[in-house]
Each structure stands twice: as structure tokens, then as C-alpha cells.
């Protein structure tokens, strides 16, 4: 049975989708953006700050789905300027530490609201 996840610990969807869906033990997290769920007017101006906020949002959805940071198995990072990749990668490594999920990086021409990064993930329930 498919379960739809919604948590106020991450930004609510900007469209017609769920923050995540869970089927059996798999968690599919929708693309997360660098939006502060407690203050959506707050701006993160560096690629590192945007990446860290996006990853915090992703983790919040994974936790609400019954997973943990350590159960994130795969991420896809969409980046508006591939020239920012070293900055994004540094923040990503800081966030995950020794945990190294499989990863895809995809350069894109633009992201919603002019953000620099969007990240989605697949995780599993603890």
C-alpha cells in the first residue's frame, strides 16, 4: 500500500505532489529546495548554504517517512550552474560525512524560484 508523506519540518510542496511516498520499505523523496520551513522568506545566498538547507529538508522528509540519514541510498542533485559543483560537493560531504549514498549530478538550465540546487532521494525505512 502506498503511503503519502507530509511533514511541516520541511517545506510544503509547491505543486501537486507529496513530499515523499513510501511503499513497503522504500522511501521516494520528492525534489527538495533550499527553503527554510519555518521562514520561507529566508534566503540562502551561497551554493553551500543552499545545499545544506536542501539536505536538511531532505533529511526531515526521510525522518518523517520512517527512515534516517543513514538509510539514504541514492540522491540526485540538480544544479543550475555546474561551475558551482565544487561548492555543492563540499557542503554535501560535510552533511553526509562517512555515509556515501550513490549519487547523480545533473546540470539544468534553471530551477524553481531561481534556486541553485534541488535534491531528491531514495531511502529505506529503518
Amino acid at each position: 500500500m502506498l503511503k503519502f508523506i507530509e511533514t511541516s519540518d520541511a517545506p510544503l510542496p509547491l505543486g501537486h505532489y507529496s513530499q515523499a511516498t513510501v511503499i513497503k520499505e522504500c522511501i521516494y523523496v520528492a525534489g527538495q529546495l533550499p527553503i527554510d520551513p519555518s521562514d520561507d522568506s529566508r534566503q540562502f545566498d551561497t551554493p553551500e548554504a543552499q545545499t545544506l538547507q536542501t539536505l536538511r529538508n531532505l533529511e526531515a522528509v526521510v525522518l518523517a517517512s520512517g527512515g534516517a540519514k543513514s538509510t539514504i541510498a541514492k540522491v540526485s542533485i540538480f544544479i543550475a550552474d555546474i561551475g558551482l559543483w565544487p561548492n555543492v560537493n563540499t557542503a554535501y560531504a560535510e552533511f553526509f560525512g562517512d555515509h556515501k549514498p550513490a549519487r547523480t549530478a545533473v546540470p539544468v538550465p534553471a530551477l524553481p524560484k531561481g534556486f541553485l540546487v534541488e535534491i531528491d532521494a531514495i531511502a529505506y525505512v529503518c
Side-chain angles (χ1 to χ4, degrees), residues 27-98:
I27 303 167
Y28 299 92
V29 181
Q32 297 298 302
L33 295 165
I35 299 170
D36 183 336
S38 64
D39 179 4
D40 64 2
S41 68
R42 182 174 176 204
Q43 298 295 311
F44 298 93
D45 51 355
T46 67
E48 295 88 349
Q50 286 198 23
T51 301
L52 287 172
Q53 182 60 47
T54 302
L55 288 166
R56 285 191 290 268
N57 293 341
L58 187 128
E59 181 181 24
V61 175
V62 169
L63 291 170
S65 303
K69 184 193 295 190
S70 64
T71 70
I72 297 172
K74 167 81 169 72
V75 299
S76 297
I77 302 175
F78 303 91
I79 183 169
D81 178 353
I82 201 65
L84 299 175
W85 180 247
N87 308 77
V88 171
N89 192 51
T90 296
Y92 179 93
E94 175 186 326
F95 179 82
F96 278 110
D98 291 336

